[in-house]
Amino acid sequence: MVVVDRFRITDTLREVWRPLVGLFLLDTLVTIAYVGLNWTWIVPAGLPLPLLGTGLAVFLGVRNNTAYARWWEARTLWGSVLNNSRSFARGLTLLVVPPEAEKTRYHLVHHQIAWAHALRCFMRREDPTHDIAPFLSHQALARVTQAANPPFAIQREMAELLLAARREGWLDSIEASSLNTTLTALTDSQGGLERIRNTPMPQQYAAFSRVFVTAYCLMLPFGIVPDLNLLTPLGSAVIGFVFLALDESGRHLEDPFMRSVYDVPMSAITRTVEIDLRQAVGDRDVPPPLHPVRGILR
């Protein structure tokens, strides 16, 4: 996620420089033909560029708003993951339990950390083994990594620990119900994130936006060369850059988990979960929080 205070045009240029260079070359050829060779016939009469540009801007605006709504929902759900993870750890640490139950409480908190890391890897379609191994036993790790849905498998392990604690009398019915309610909220957040990942935006948005932007940029120099003459390459490149940048920004926002500079900072969020929960149970070797690198927080 981009966290710098000011907009850096160089970041956008790195995304769109290839089509922009092609557009500039076309602009130059059209300018040479029209101004230098006096080929006025290459300019079609009555080309409605203002009308087409307005329609294209509205279309891109609707598409980008839809993409941003997906991104913002994903960020909100990850905020719920962070808050409910803290609530779960707080609920465990506030319980008055006998000394023999401390180990179970410690394992439950570590399972919650593993769940957050597993969910991040699951969203990015990555192997979670390396990230969750420090927080699970060898037996639990083997069961979780063999599951089709590792985060849900970790929650099943947590349910077994809570059930064992309930049978031992370390939790009463109210305490067990409260912890289960928090786990249910975490499951709801996971389900929402899976829905966003598994339900892509309609392909018409992506395909049509690229086709329409390309077509408009190709028509642009022919429509403005009678007015700008030698300045046509500059004017066309600036207008084309605006539309190309809008199209590329919407494309990145469509998938909040694709590891682009615009994705939800899941690594930073899960690191925060790990820090807060490990400190809650008294761990000393707590890792530092992640910081932005060149204005990007992962």
Side-chain angles (χ1 to χ4, degrees):
M1 182 178 72
V2 180
V3 294
V4 292
D5 294 332
R6 65 183 186 277
F7 172 70
R8 295 190 301 185
I9 196 171
T10 54
D11 293 335
T12 305
L13 282 173
R14 277 195 291 268
E15 301 286 342
V16 302
W17 71 268
R18 288 185 177 86
L20 197 61
V21 168
L23 175 61
F24 186 80
L25 292 176
L26 174 64
D27 299 338
T28 303
L29 291 176
V30 171
T31 303
I32 293 174
Y34 186 86
V35 178
L37 301 179
N38 199 28
W39 288 3
T40 57
W41 53 269
I42 66 172
V43 177
L47 188 63
L49 277 181
L51 182 61
L52 293 175
T54 301
L56 180 58
V58 171
F59 177 81
L60 290 176
V62 172
R63 178 274 192 106
N64 287 6
N65 283 339
T66 304
Y68 181 76
R70 288 168 55 86
W71 184 94
W72 182 246
E73 184 183 4
R75 180 62 184 88
T76 302
L77 289 169
W78 271 106
S80 298
V81 167
L82 175 59
N83 293 337
N84 285 310
S85 295
R86 289 168 172 164
S87 297
F88 183 75
R90 186 192 66 240
L92 287 171
T93 55
L94 289 178
L95 296 178
V96 178
V97 296
E100 58 268 24
E102 288 292 339
K103 185 176 181 180
T104 298
R105 177 157 58 184
Y106 184 85
H107 285 331
L108 280 167
V109 172
H110 273 223
H111 274 65
Q112 180 56 35
I113 298 171
W115 178 85
H117 285 304
L119 181 60
R120 166 178 51 82
C121 294
F122 192 58
M123 290 298 102
R124 290 175 172 169
R125 294 180 170 86
E126 298 173 346
D127 183 7
T129 304
H130 175 75
D131 296 281
I132 66 177
F135 306 105
L136 301 176
S137 66
H138 293 298
Q139 296 82 359
L141 180 64
R143 290 191 294 269
V144 167
T145 53
Q146 291 174 2
N149 191 321
F152 182 62
I154 293 175
Q155 281 216 336
R156 291 203 307 269
E157 298 286 332
M158 296 169 70
E160 292 291 336
L161 290 173
L162 287 173
L163 180 60
R166 181 75 178 90
R167 288 172 177 170
E168 293 289 340
W170 300 335
L171 295 174
D172 60 30
S173 59
I174 296 177
E175 293 167 340
S177 176
S178 176
L179 292 173
N180 185 64
T181 299
T182 305
L183 289 178
T184 300
L186 289 166
T187 303
D188 290 341
S189 296
Q190 177 180 341
L193 291 168
E194 290 178 350
R195 170 174 48 79
I196 295 173
R197 189 195 68 171
N198 297 331
T199 309
M201 285 185 61
Q203 289 304 304
Q204 294 89 334
Y205 276 113
F208 288 172
S209 64
R210 178 52 56 90
V211 170
F212 292 160
V213 168
T214 301
Y216 183 78
C217 289
L218 291 176
M219 291 187 293
L220 192 58
F222 297 96
I224 65 176
V225 69
D227 298 318
L228 297 185
N229 290 313
L230 294 177
L231 293 178
T232 297
L234 178 61
S236 179
V238 170
I239 299 173
F241 170 74
V242 171
F243 283 104
L244 289 169
L246 286 173
D247 179 51
E248 195 65 26
S249 297
R251 194 175 304 278
H252 282 291
L253 291 174
E254 288 177 7
D255 186 352
F257 317 118
M258 64 184 297
R259 273 193 172 275
S260 74
V261 297
Y262 305 102
D263 69 351
V264 175
M266 295 183 289
S267 296
I269 293 172
T270 53
R271 175 64 65 85
T272 301
V273 170
E274 179 179 348
I275 293 171
D276 291 349
L277 269 60
R278 292 183 68 176
Q279 288 178 341
V281 293
D283 283 351
R284 297 184 181 275
D285 54 337
V286 176
L290 296 180
H291 296 288
V293 177
R294 297 181 180 178
I296 307 299
L297 184 64
R298 297 293 185 181

